[in-house]
Amino acid sequence: MLKTSMKLLPLLVLGAVSGTASAAGFQLLEQNATGLGNAYAGSAVTSENASGQYFNAANLADLEGRQFSAGVNYIELESTFNNSASTNPAGHPNLGKNGVNGGDAAFVPNFYLALPLSKDLTFGFGLNAPFGMRTAWSKDWIGQYYATITDVKAMNFNANLAYKVNDQFSIGGGINYQKFDAQIETALNGAPFAGSRDANFAVAGDSWAWGYNLGVIFKPSAATKVGVSYRSAVKHELEGKYSVSGFTGPGAGVALATYGFTAATGNGKVNIKLPDTFIISATHQLNNKWELLGDISRTSWSDVPELRVQFSNGSADKVSKYDWRDTWRVAMGANYQVTDAWKLRLGLAFDQSPVKEGLRTPRLPDQDRVWYTIGAQYKLNKGSNLDVGYAYVKAKSAHANETSASPAVTGRLVGDYDSSVQVLGVQYSMNF
C-alpha cells in the first residue's frame, strides 16, 4: 500500500515556505531594519551602520569608530488553501474544509558589532538568522496527510574583517558558524488498517556547519558606489530522532510497517546544502536630498536537486526529488533626506521562486512574489539612530495538484494557495 510516508523525513529541512520565510525558498532577507524600507536594494553597498556587514563585509570599511546595531523583524504570513477538486482519504469523508490558513508568525532578531583595529582595518561580528520558516496547518484540513507542522530555523554566527585599500576600493570577508534546527509533524491515516486511530509522525534534528563570505566595494565617483558580495553554501548533516504515536488496535503493527517504519521510534540523518548567494548592488547620490539604490542577486537553489534520508538501522535510503531552479531577485529603492534628523525610504522588488510548476507541495507552496516597502530613519543624537521599516510581500496564486502512490490512504490535494507576508522591523544603532 502506502510506501511514501517515510519520504516525509527529508522535508524536515524544507518545511513550508508559506511559513515565516518572506524571500523565495526558505531564505530570510530580514537581517536588519535599515534595508527593509528599501526592499534591500543596494544591500551590498550600504554602510549606514554595523548591520551592513551581513550583505557585504566590505561595508565595515566605511564605518567610523566603534558601533553596534540591534534589531528585530516581526514576520507574519497569511497562506490560505482554497480547495477546488481534492478528494478525501479512506475513512475520512469530511476533510474538505475550505479557506484553511497555514500561516504563522515569528520574531527574527539580529545583532551586529563593528570594531576598528587600525586606521584601515575593521573587525565585525554578526548574529542573525539567514534561513527559517514555520507553518501550522490544522490536523483536520484535507491535506493533513501531506503536512501539518513544520519549523525550520538557522542561527548564524559571523565574524568579518574589512580593509580599506584606498578611498575608492575596499575588500572584506568572513567566516560563518551556523546551527540548523528542524522539526516536522504530519498525520498518518490509520482508518484503512483494521480501524486503527490516526497517528502523528514527528521528527526533529539539528546540525552545526561552517561557511564563508566575501565582498568588495568600488567607488567610481564621490556620488556612486558599486558592491559585489558572495555568501557561500553551507553543507549540513542533520541528526535526529523520529516517532510515530497513535496507531491502535489489531491493525497498528500493519499500519506502522506499511508506512515503512521498522519501529515506532528511531534515528536518522539528512544531508542538505543551503544555497550560496551572489549580490551586485549600486547606489547613486543624486543630490543632497535624493539617493537611488539598486540590487540584483542570485541564489543557487539548484544545489538542492534531492534530499536523501539515511537510517541507523541499515534501511534503504529514502529519496525525494525536487529539481529546484536557481532564482533571481531584482530590487530598487530611493532615500529622501527630509531634514538632518529624518530620512524616508521606499522600495520595490521582484523575487523569483525556486519551485517549478507541477512540483509544488503543501510543505513548499512557493511562488514568485513582489515586495512593496517603506521605512524611515530618525537620528536620536549625533551618535545614535533608530530605523523602522515595513514590507508587504504578495505572492502569485500557487496551484497545487498533489497525490501519493496511494491516494485512497492520503487523499488527493487539488487547489490554490494564496499567500502574503507582512514584515515590521525596528533597529537601534549607535557609536560607543
Side-chain angles (χ1 to χ4, degrees):
M1 293 180 71
L2 184 62
K3 298 295 184 182
T4 60
S5 287
M6 284 302 284
K7 292 183 179 180
L8 293 171
L9 271 173
L11 296 172
L12 86 161
V13 288
L14 284 185
V17 129
S18 60
T20 51
S22 57
F26 49 93
Q27 188 178 34
L28 288 171
L29 286 177
E30 295 81 1
Q31 304 307 319
N32 60 21
T34 304
L36 181 60
N38 296 127
Y40 294 99
S43 61
V45 74
T46 300
S47 52
E48 294 188 33
N49 52 58
S51 68
Q53 65 186 285
Y54 174 83
F55 298 98
N56 189 341
N59 280 324
L60 288 165
D62 280 345
L63 300 181
E64 295 183 2
R66 297 176 299 176
Q67 297 191 22
F68 88 88
S69 293
V72 63
N73 290 286
Y74 175 73
I75 307 175
E76 182 178 85
L77 169 94
E78 292 287 333
S79 185
T80 303
F81 177 74
N82 298 303
N83 183 28
S84 60
S86 301
T87 58
N88 284 298
H92 298 275
N94 300 311
L95 290 180
K97 184 184 291 186
N98 198 37
V100 178
N101 181 19
D104 212 329
F107 290 93
V108 180
N110 56 77
F111 173 83
Y112 301 94
L113 183 68
L115 299 172
L117 302 179
S118 68
K119 177 177 176 293
D120 298 316
L121 185 66
T122 302
F123 169 79
F125 175 80
L127 175 60
N128 42 58
F131 295 92
M133 81 293 267
R134 174 178 166 81
T135 48
W137 298 99
S138 64
K139 291 186 178 180
D140 59 351
W141 83 296
I142 198 167
Q144 66 174 336
Y145 301 119
Y146 291 95
T148 53
I149 294 175
T150 306
D151 192 351
V152 177
K153 52 184 175 289
M155 180 173 62
N156 192 62
F157 299 87
N158 186 195
N160 293 297
L161 281 176
Y163 181 69
K164 188 174 183 178
V165 179
N166 52 46
D167 290 340
Q168 287 75 43
F169 190 67
S170 300
I171 59 175
I175 57 173
N176 298 268
Y177 192 42
Q178 189 177 100
K179 186 182 183 186
F180 198 47
D181 290 277
Q183 178 183 346
I184 185 174
E185 294 186 24
T186 193
L188 301 178
N189 190 356
F193 306 100
S196 172
R197 291 189 308 173
D198 284 1
N200 185 66
F201 168 75
V203 62
D206 58 44
S207 168
W208 286 91
W210 292 92
Y212 66 92
N213 54 282
L214 302 169
V216 298
I217 290 177
F218 176 63
K219 301 176 183 177
S221 70
T224 303
K225 295 195 293 184
V226 178
V228 178
S229 70
Y230 174 78
R231 186 165 286 274
S232 77
V234 179
K235 296 180 180 179
H236 282 279
E237 184 177 284
L238 284 84
E239 297 185 350
K241 298 179 179 295
Y242 76 86
S243 66
V244 180
S245 58
F247 285 138
T248 60
V254 175
L256 192 68
T258 304
Y259 277 98
F261 297 98
T262 59
T265 60
N267 300 323
K269 65 180 181 180
V270 180
N271 296 325
I272 183 172
K273 182 180 179 182
L274 300 183
D276 62 2
T277 303
F278 179 76
I279 305 174
I280 301 176
S281 299
T283 63
H284 180 70
Q285 193 74 41
L286 284 177
N287 50 48
N288 61 351
K289 292 288 186 180
W290 285 99
E291 181 184 26
L292 302 180
L293 307 93
D295 207 276
I296 299 175
S297 62
R298 180 180 180 273
T299 303
S300 298
W301 286 110
S302 63
D303 286 342
V304 191
E306 67 175 28
L307 289 180
R308 182 179 298 271
V309 183
Q310 298 173 306
F311 300 99
S312 58
N313 61 11
S315 298
D317 294 352
K318 305 297 183 180
V319 182
S320 294
K321 302 290 185 180
Y322 287 95
D323 193 26
W324 283 0
R325 63 184 177 184
D326 296 337
T327 61
W328 291 91
R329 186 178 189 274
V330 180
M332 62 186 71
N335 293 328
Y336 179 70
Q337 194 73 46
V338 183
T339 67
D340 289 342
W342 281 99
K343 179 188 290 187
L344 297 181
R345 309 182 193 275
L346 293 172
L348 179 69
F350 170 77
D351 205 356
Q352 189 180 34
S353 168
V355 179
K356 298 177 182 178
E357 291 299 323
L359 298 176
R360 187 173 291 110
T361 78
R363 295 199 180 276
L364 197 65
D366 199 21
Q367 182 56 287
D368 298 344
R369 63 202 67 195
V370 179
W371 292 55
Y372 307 91
T373 68
I374 190 171
Q377 181 185 85
Y378 178 67
K379 291 190 176 181
L380 300 170
N381 53 52
K382 185 178 180 180
S384 64
N385 57 67
L386 184 69
D387 281 282
V388 295
Y390 170 79
Y392 176 72
V393 185
K394 179 59 178 174
K396 290 182 180 179
S397 180
H399 185 64
N401 186 354
E402 185 173 13
T403 188
S404 72
S406 299
V409 177
T410 61
R412 184 181 173 210
L413 199 59
V414 182
D416 295 281
Y417 300 95
D418 291 319
S419 303
S420 64
V421 181
Q422 296 188 78
V423 185
L424 179 64
V426 180
Q427 181 178 345
Y428 175 72
S429 304
M430 70 168 291
N431 292 70
F432 65 97

